[in-house]
Amino acid sequence: MRKRTKTVALGRIPTLTAIAVLLAGCAVTTEHEAPSAPNQQVMQQITEQVSLNGEQAEAAAQWWHAYGDAQLNRLVEQALANNHDLEAAALRLEAGMERLRVSRDQLRPQGGVAGNVSLTRQQDPQSLNVVRQESATLGLAADWQLDLFGRIRARVRQAQANLEHRQAFEAQTMADVVSGVVATYTRLMGAEEQLALLDKQLTLLDEGVDVLTLRVEEGLSTPLELSRAQALRYEYRARRPELEVLRTQYQDAMAILTGITLPEVREQVSAAGLPALASLQLQIHEPEQALRQSPEIRLAEARVAEAVALSDEAKAALFPSISVSGVLGWMSSTSLGLGGADENLGIRPQLNWSLLNLSALKDGLDAQKLEERAVLAEFEQTWLRVLNRADRSVQDWQAQQQQMLALTRRQEYARSAYEQAESRYEEGMIPYLDFLDAQRDLLTSEAGVIDANSRLLEAFSELQRAFPGHWINLL
């Protein structure tokens, strides 16, 4: 006949429940200081300069298409697919999702199937007979932590904040990769144009030196003029190694961003020249929302949420931990078979309270509240950096436009002066040194225009990076 064994401490359950309810009623919810809002006046001043109507929002999401460069578009797509930092961020995001599931699972009862087999041999001290004892148990065991004071829920919020932090970090990495590819591409194409211009300039200087050498031999020019021409030629020859080093640096940066090797970059990226500037405009779709949704702000918000959850967990640690454990199964004390086993049902409530460590737990709560205040201060600092970066990017874009216009006009006048000097020199009206000065000024102005063009394109990339919320979530 199967017997049923109960080990239910039912008399204690109402008492423990009453104590738990009383303590839960005494528990005071932790008060948290709300993060400070950004300066609305500064926000409005910045956003009014870059507002874009909603009809153009979709086009602005892939803002680098405004450069009109198919090679650049391909490199951005390649970076989004192959960048190793992006891959690592995506994997860490998936790991954060799994950890959140683990944390949420702690709110439910834990346990499973439990079994035990025991074989013993014991000698009777009086009869000296060997007695063999066999026993077996099999059943379901469970333990449920009653989260009356929010300790487990605080850990769940920590995992949620950690997940949001990883999501924001992935977005930040993506924004850095995209803007990095665009900025590096403009620098690389600028270096390529500078090298092409330098080769053209050196050809003209070589031809001028050859002509001047003949004129010196014929007594029509002086050795001083030839020496000045030779000095200018070697000055420009000395610029090539520096430009080649810069080109290699930009190619290396592009290789890292796109996840390929340096030789592959040299093979795949041709010297297409700098993109056009005509289609670039100082316009951002919903700029205020773009700032609020920037990865830097989201990272700071996630850190605040995590600090708040840690404070809540520290507060919950001041109160007891209450759990209920139970077992339902069979126990055989005479053989390994369960045919004649006794049923075993047990429920055991448990309360653990670290009263002797209460002072240390309070100190831990105070320390965590200070950490929370520190995170709030960092949050305000993050907003300051985001606003200042946006303001600086707008001002830089406008300044680069003005500089580009001025340098373009300078090049026009330098070319006009060079053509006039060349004509007057051929007519013998001015000495060669005056013509050489006009030539040097033209060469300098041409290089300045290329450099300004590159900086303007890079400033547009930095402008988009300063307002990432309007495009990063659409990739």
Side-chain angles (χ1 to χ4, degrees), residues 260-300:
I260 59 179
T261 63
L262 186 56
E264 288 175 323
V265 169
R266 294 193 181 104
E267 180 181 352
Q268 297 178 16
V269 182
S270 61
L274 286 168
L277 297 171
S279 58
L280 302 185
Q281 298 179 0
L282 183 63
Q283 292 181 326
I284 302 294
H285 177 62
E286 296 183 353
E288 181 174 348
Q289 188 67 16
L291 290 176
R292 293 184 180 276
Q293 291 297 318
S294 65
E296 291 79 7
I297 296 299
R298 290 167 55 193
L299 281 169

CSV table of all heavy atoms in Angstrom, one decimal, residues 260-300:
chain,number,residue,atom,x,y,z
A,260,ILE,N,38.2,45.5,-45.3
A,260,ILE,CA,39.0,44.9,-46.3
A,260,ILE,C,40.4,45.3,-46.1
A,260,ILE,O,40.7,46.1,-45.2
A,260,ILE,CB,38.5,45.3,-47.7
A,260,ILE,CG1,38.6,46.8,-47.9
A,260,ILE,CG2,37.1,44.8,-48.0
A,260,ILE,CD1,38.2,47.2,-49.3
A,261,THR,N,41.3,44.7,-46.9
A,261,THR,CA,42.8,45.0,-46.7
A,261,THR,C,43.2,46.2,-47.5
A,261,THR,O,42.4,46.7,-48.4
A,261,THR,CB,43.6,43.8,-47.2
A,261,THR,OG1,43.4,43.6,-48.6
A,261,THR,CG2,43.2,42.5,-46.4
A,262,LEU,N,44.3,46.7,-47.2
A,262,LEU,CA,44.8,47.9,-47.8
A,262,LEU,C,45.1,47.7,-49.3
A,262,LEU,O,44.7,48.6,-50.1
A,262,LEU,CB,46.1,48.4,-47.2
A,262,LEU,CG,46.8,49.7,-47.6
A,262,LEU,CD1,45.8,50.8,-47.5
A,262,LEU,CD2,48.0,50.0,-46.8
A,263,PRO,N,45.6,46.6,-49.8
A,263,PRO,CA,45.8,46.3,-51.2
A,263,PRO,C,44.4,46.3,-51.9
A,263,PRO,O,44.3,46.8,-53.1
A,263,PRO,CB,46.5,45.0,-51.3
A,263,PRO,CG,47.2,44.9,-50.0
A,263,PRO,CD,46.4,45.5,-49.0
A,264,GLU,N,43.4,45.8,-51.2
A,264,GLU,CA,42.0,45.8,-51.9
A,264,GLU,C,41.5,47.2,-52.0
A,264,GLU,O,40.8,47.4,-53.0
A,264,GLU,CB,41.1,44.9,-51.0
A,264,GLU,CG,41.4,43.4,-51.1
A,264,GLU,CD,40.6,42.6,-50.1
A,264,GLU,OE1,40.3,43.1,-49.0
A,264,GLU,OE2,40.2,41.5,-50.5
A,265,VAL,N,41.8,48.0,-51.1
A,265,VAL,CA,41.3,49.4,-51.2
A,265,VAL,C,42.0,50.1,-52.4
A,265,VAL,O,41.3,50.8,-53.2
A,265,VAL,CB,41.6,50.2,-49.9
A,265,VAL,CG1,41.4,51.7,-50.1
A,265,VAL,CG2,40.7,49.7,-48.8
A,266,ARG,N,43.3,49.9,-52.5
A,266,ARG,CA,44.0,50.4,-53.7
A,266,ARG,C,43.5,49.9,-55.0
A,266,ARG,O,43.4,50.7,-56.0
A,266,ARG,CB,45.5,50.1,-53.6
A,266,ARG,CG,46.2,50.7,-52.4
A,266,ARG,CD,47.7,50.6,-52.6
A,266,ARG,NE,48.4,51.2,-51.4
A,266,ARG,CZ,49.0,50.5,-50.5
A,266,ARG,NH1,49.0,49.2,-50.5
A,266,ARG,NH2,49.7,51.1,-49.5
A,267,GLU,N,43.0,48.7,-55.0
A,267,GLU,CA,42.5,48.1,-56.2
A,267,GLU,C,41.0,48.5,-56.5
A,267,GLU,O,40.7,48.8,-57.7
A,267,GLU,CB,42.5,46.6,-56.1
A,267,GLU,CG,42.0,45.8,-57.3
A,267,GLU,CD,42.0,44.3,-57.2
A,267,GLU,OE1,42.6,43.9,-56.2
A,267,GLU,OE2,41.5,43.6,-58.1
A,268,GLN,N,40.2,48.7,-55.5
A,268,GLN,CA,38.8,48.9,-55.6
A,268,GLN,C,38.4,50.4,-55.7
A,268,GLN,O,37.4,50.8,-56.3
A,268,GLN,CB,38.0,48.2,-54.5
A,268,GLN,CG,38.1,46.7,-54.5
A,268,GLN,CD,37.4,46.1,-53.3
A,268,GLN,OE1,36.5,46.8,-52.7
A,268,GLN,NE2,37.7,44.9,-53.0
A,269,VAL,N,39.2,51.2,-55.0
A,269,VAL,CA,38.8,52.7,-54.9
A,269,VAL,C,39.7,53.4,-55.9
A,269,VAL,O,40.9,53.6,-55.8
A,269,VAL,CB,39.1,53.2,-53.5
A,269,VAL,CG1,38.6,54.7,-53.5
A,269,VAL,CG2,38.3,52.4,-52.5
A,270,SER,N,39.0,53.9,-57.0
A,270,SER,CA,39.7,54.7,-58.0
A,270,SER,C,39.7,56.2,-57.7
A,270,SER,O,39.0,56.7,-56.9
A,270,SER,CB,39.1,54.5,-59.4
A,270,SER,OG,37.7,54.9,-59.3
A,271,ALA,N,40.6,56.9,-58.3
A,271,ALA,CA,40.8,58.3,-58.1
A,271,ALA,C,39.7,59.0,-58.9
A,271,ALA,O,39.9,59.6,-60.0
A,271,ALA,CB,42.1,58.8,-58.5
A,272,ALA,N,38.4,59.0,-58.4
A,272,ALA,CA,37.3,59.6,-59.1
A,272,ALA,C,37.2,61.1,-58.9
A,272,ALA,O,36.4,61.7,-59.6
A,272,ALA,CB,36.0,58.9,-58.6
A,273,GLY,N,38.0,61.7,-58.0
A,273,GLY,CA,37.9,63.1,-57.8
A,273,GLY,C,36.8,63.4,-56.7
A,273,GLY,O,36.0,62.6,-56.3
A,274,LEU,N,36.8,64.7,-56.3
A,274,LEU,CA,35.9,65.1,-55.2
A,274,LEU,C,34.5,65.2,-55.7
A,274,LEU,O,34.3,65.6,-56.9
A,274,LEU,CB,36.3,66.4,-54.6
A,274,LEU,CG,37.6,66.4,-53.7
A,274,LEU,CD1,38.1,67.8,-53.5
A,274,LEU,CD2,37.3,65.7,-52.4
A,275,PRO,N,33.5,64.8,-54.9
A,275,PRO,CA,32.1,64.9,-55.4
A,275,PRO,C,31.7,66.3,-55.6
A,275,PRO,O,32.3,67.3,-55.1
A,275,PRO,CB,31.3,64.3,-54.2
A,275,PRO,CG,32.3,63.4,-53.4
A,275,PRO,CD,33.6,64.1,-53.6
A,276,ALA,N,30.6,66.5,-56.3
A,276,ALA,CA,30.1,67.8,-56.5
A,276,ALA,C,29.5,68.4,-55.3
A,276,ALA,O,29.0,67.7,-54.4
A,276,ALA,CB,29.0,67.8,-57.6
A,277,LEU,N,29.4,69.8,-55.2
A,277,LEU,CA,28.9,70.5,-54.1
A,277,LEU,C,27.5,71.1,-54.3
A,277,LEU,O,26.9,71.5,-53.3
A,277,LEU,CB,29.8,71.6,-53.7
A,277,LEU,CG,31.3,71.3,-53.3
A,277,LEU,CD1,32.1,72.5,-53.2
A,277,LEU,CD2,31.3,70.5,-52.0
A,278,ALA,N,27.0,71.0,-55.5
A,278,ALA,CA,25.8,71.8,-55.8
A,278,ALA,C,24.6,71.3,-55.0
A,278,ALA,O,23.7,72.1,-54.6
A,278,ALA,CB,25.5,71.7,-57.3
A,279,SER,N,24.5,70.0,-54.7
A,279,SER,CA,23.3,69.5,-54.1
A,279,SER,C,23.3,69.5,-52.6
A,279,SER,O,22.4,69.0,-51.9
A,279,SER,CB,23.0,68.0,-54.6
A,279,SER,OG,24.1,67.2,-54.3
A,280,LEU,N,24.4,69.9,-52.0
A,280,LEU,CA,24.5,69.9,-50.5
A,280,LEU,C,23.8,71.1,-49.9
A,280,LEU,O,24.1,72.3,-50.3
A,280,LEU,CB,26.0,69.9,-50.1
A,280,LEU,CG,26.8,68.7,-50.7
A,280,LEU,CD1,28.2,68.8,-50.1
A,280,LEU,CD2,26.1,67.4,-50.3
A,281,GLN,N,22.9,70.9,-49.0
A,281,GLN,CA,22.2,71.9,-48.3
A,281,GLN,C,22.2,71.8,-46.8
A,281,GLN,O,22.3,70.7,-46.3
A,281,GLN,CB,20.7,71.9,-48.8
A,281,GLN,CG,20.6,72.2,-50.3
A,281,GLN,CD,19.1,72.1,-50.7
A,281,GLN,OE1,18.2,71.9,-49.9
A,281,GLN,NE2,18.9,72.4,-52.0
A,282,LEU,N,22.1,72.9,-46.1
A,282,LEU,CA,22.1,72.9,-44.7
A,282,LEU,C,20.7,72.7,-44.2
A,282,LEU,O,20.0,73.6,-43.7
A,282,LEU,CB,22.7,74.2,-44.1
A,282,LEU,CG,22.8,74.4,-42.6
A,282,LEU,CD1,23.8,73.4,-42.1
A,282,LEU,CD2,23.2,75.8,-42.3
A,283,GLN,N,20.2,71.4,-44.3
A,283,GLN,CA,18.9,71.1,-43.9
A,283,GLN,C,18.8,69.7,-43.2
A,283,GLN,O,19.4,68.7,-43.7
A,283,GLN,CB,17.9,71.1,-45.1
A,283,GLN,CG,17.7,72.5,-45.7
A,283,GLN,CD,16.7,72.5,-46.8
A,283,GLN,OE1,16.7,71.5,-47.6
A,283,GLN,NE2,15.9,73.5,-46.9
A,284,ILE,N,18.2,69.7,-42.0
A,284,ILE,CA,18.0,68.4,-41.3
A,284,ILE,C,16.6,68.2,-41.0
A,284,ILE,O,15.9,69.1,-40.5
A,284,ILE,CB,18.8,68.5,-39.9
A,284,ILE,CG1,20.3,68.8,-40.2
A,284,ILE,CG2,18.7,67.2,-39.1
A,284,ILE,CD1,21.0,67.7,-40.9
A,285,HIS,N,16.1,67.0,-41.2
A,285,HIS,CA,14.7,66.7,-40.9
A,285,HIS,C,14.5,66.6,-39.4
A,285,HIS,O,15.1,65.8,-38.7
A,285,HIS,CB,14.3,65.4,-41.6
A,285,HIS,CG,12.9,64.9,-41.3
A,285,HIS,ND1,11.8,65.7,-41.6
A,285,HIS,CD2,12.4,63.8,-40.6
A,285,HIS,CE1,10.7,65.1,-41.2
A,285,HIS,NE2,11.0,63.9,-40.6
A,286,GLU,N,13.5,67.4,-38.8
A,286,GLU,CA,13.2,67.4,-37.4
A,286,GLU,C,14.5,67.4,-36.6
A,286,GLU,O,14.8,66.5,-35.8
A,286,GLU,CB,12.4,66.1,-37.0
A,286,GLU,CG,11.0,66.1,-37.7
A,286,GLU,CD,10.2,64.9,-37.2
A,286,GLU,OE1,10.7,64.0,-36.5
A,286,GLU,OE2,9.0,64.8,-37.6
A,287,PRO,N,15.2,68.5,-36.6
A,287,PRO,CA,16.5,68.6,-36.0
A,287,PRO,C,16.5,68.4,-34.4
A,287,PRO,O,17.4,67.8,-33.9
A,287,PRO,CB,17.1,70.0,-36.3
A,287,PRO,CG,15.8,70.7,-36.7
A,287,PRO,CD,14.9,69.8,-37.3
A,288,GLU,N,15.4,68.9,-33.8
A,288,GLU,CA,15.4,68.7,-32.3
A,288,GLU,C,15.2,67.2,-32.0
A,288,GLU,O,15.9,66.7,-31.1
A,288,GLU,CB,14.2,69.5,-31.7
A,288,GLU,CG,14.1,69.4,-30.2
A,288,GLU,CD,13.0,70.3,-29.6
A,288,GLU,OE1,12.5,71.2,-30.4
A,288,GLU,OE2,12.7,70.1,-28.5
A,289,GLN,N,14.3,66.5,-32.7
A,289,GLN,CA,14.2,65.1,-32.5
A,289,GLN,C,15.5,64.4,-32.8
A,289,GLN,O,15.8,63.4,-32.2
A,289,GLN,CB,13.0,64.6,-33.3
A,289,GLN,CG,12.6,63.1,-33.0
A,289,GLN,CD,12.1,63.0,-31.6
A,289,GLN,OE1,11.7,63.9,-30.9
A,289,GLN,NE2,12.0,61.7,-31.1
A,290,ALA,N,16.2,64.8,-33.9
A,290,ALA,CA,17.4,64.2,-34.3
A,290,ALA,C,18.5,64.3,-33.2
A,290,ALA,O,19.2,63.4,-33.0
A,290,ALA,CB,17.9,64.9,-35.5
A,291,LEU,N,18.5,65.4,-32.4
A,291,LEU,CA,19.4,65.5,-31.3
A,291,LEU,C,19.0,64.7,-30.1
A,291,LEU,O,19.8,64.0,-29.5
A,291,LEU,CB,19.5,67.0,-30.9
A,291,LEU,CG,20.2,68.0,-31.8
A,291,LEU,CD1,20.1,69.4,-31.3
A,291,LEU,CD2,21.6,67.6,-32.1
A,292,ARG,N,17.7,64.6,-29.8
A,292,ARG,CA,17.2,63.8,-28.7
A,292,ARG,C,17.4,62.4,-28.9
A,292,ARG,O,17.6,61.6,-28.0
A,292,ARG,CB,15.7,64.1,-28.5
A,292,ARG,CG,15.4,65.6,-28.0
A,292,ARG,CD,13.9,65.8,-27.6
A,292,ARG,NE,13.7,67.1,-27.2
A,292,ARG,CZ,13.9,67.5,-25.9
A,292,ARG,NH1,14.3,66.7,-25.0
A,292,ARG,NH2,13.6,68.8,-25.6
A,293,GLN,N,17.3,61.9,-30.2
A,293,GLN,CA,17.5,60.5,-30.5
A,293,GLN,C,19.0,60.2,-30.9
A,293,GLN,O,19.2,59.1,-31.4
A,293,GLN,CB,16.6,60.1,-31.7
A,293,GLN,CG,15.1,60.1,-31.3
A,293,GLN,CD,14.8,59.1,-30.2
A,293,GLN,OE1,15.3,58.0,-30.3
A,293,GLN,NE2,14.0,59.5,-29.3
A,294,SER,N,19.9,61.1,-30.7
A,294,SER,CA,21.3,60.8,-31.0
A,294,SER,C,21.8,59.7,-30.1
A,294,SER,O,21.4,59.5,-29.0
A,294,SER,CB,22.1,62.0,-30.8
A,294,SER,OG,22.2,62.4,-29.5
A,295,PRO,N,22.7,58.8,-30.6
A,295,PRO,CA,23.2,57.7,-29.8
A,295,PRO,C,23.8,58.1,-28.5
A,295,PRO,O,23.7,57.4,-27.5
A,295,PRO,CB,24.2,57.0,-30.7
A,295,PRO,CG,23.7,57.4,-32.1
A,295,PRO,CD,23.2,58.8,-32.0
A,296,GLU,N,24.5,59.3,-28.5
A,296,GLU,CA,25.1,59.8,-27.3
A,296,GLU,C,24.1,60.0,-26.2
A,296,GLU,O,24.3,59.7,-25.0
A,296,GLU,CB,25.9,61.0,-27.6
A,296,GLU,CG,27.2,60.8,-28.4
A,296,GLU,CD,26.9,60.7,-29.9
A,296,GLU,OE1,25.7,60.9,-30.3
A,296,GLU,OE2,27.8,60.4,-30.7
A,297,ILE,N,23.0,60.6,-26.5
A,297,ILE,CA,21.9,60.9,-25.5
A,297,ILE,C,21.3,59.6,-25.1
A,297,ILE,O,21.0,59.4,-23.9
A,297,ILE,CB,20.9,61.8,-26.1
A,297,ILE,CG1,21.5,63.2,-26.4
A,297,ILE,CG2,19.7,62.0,-25.2
A,297,ILE,CD1,22.1,63.9,-25.2
A,298,ARG,N,21.1,58.7,-26.0
A,298,ARG,CA,20.5,57.4,-25.7
A,298,ARG,C,21.4,56.6,-24.7
A,298,ARG,O,20.9,55.9,-23.8
A,298,ARG,CB,20.1,56.6,-26.9
A,298,ARG,CG,19.0,57.2,-27.7
A,298,ARG,CD,18.9,56.6,-29.1
A,298,ARG,NE,18.8,55.1,-29.1
A,298,ARG,CZ,19.0,54.3,-30.1
A,298,ARG,NH1,19.3,54.9,-31.3
A,298,ARG,NH2,18.9,53.0,-30.0
A,299,LEU,N,22.7,56.7,-25.0
A,299,LEU,CA,23.7,56.0,-24.1
A,299,LEU,C,23.6,56.6,-22.7
A,299,LEU,O,23.6,55.9,-21.7
A,299,LEU,CB,25.1,56.2,-24.7
A,299,LEU,CG,25.5,55.2,-25.8
A,299,LEU,CD1,26.8,55.7,-26.4
A,299,LEU,CD2,25.6,53.8,-25.3
A,300,ALA,N,23.5,57.9,-22.6
A,300,ALA,CA,23.5,58.6,-21.3
A,300,ALA,C,22.2,58.2,-20.6
A,300,ALA,O,22.1,58.0,-19.4
A,300,ALA,CB,23.6,60.1,-21.5
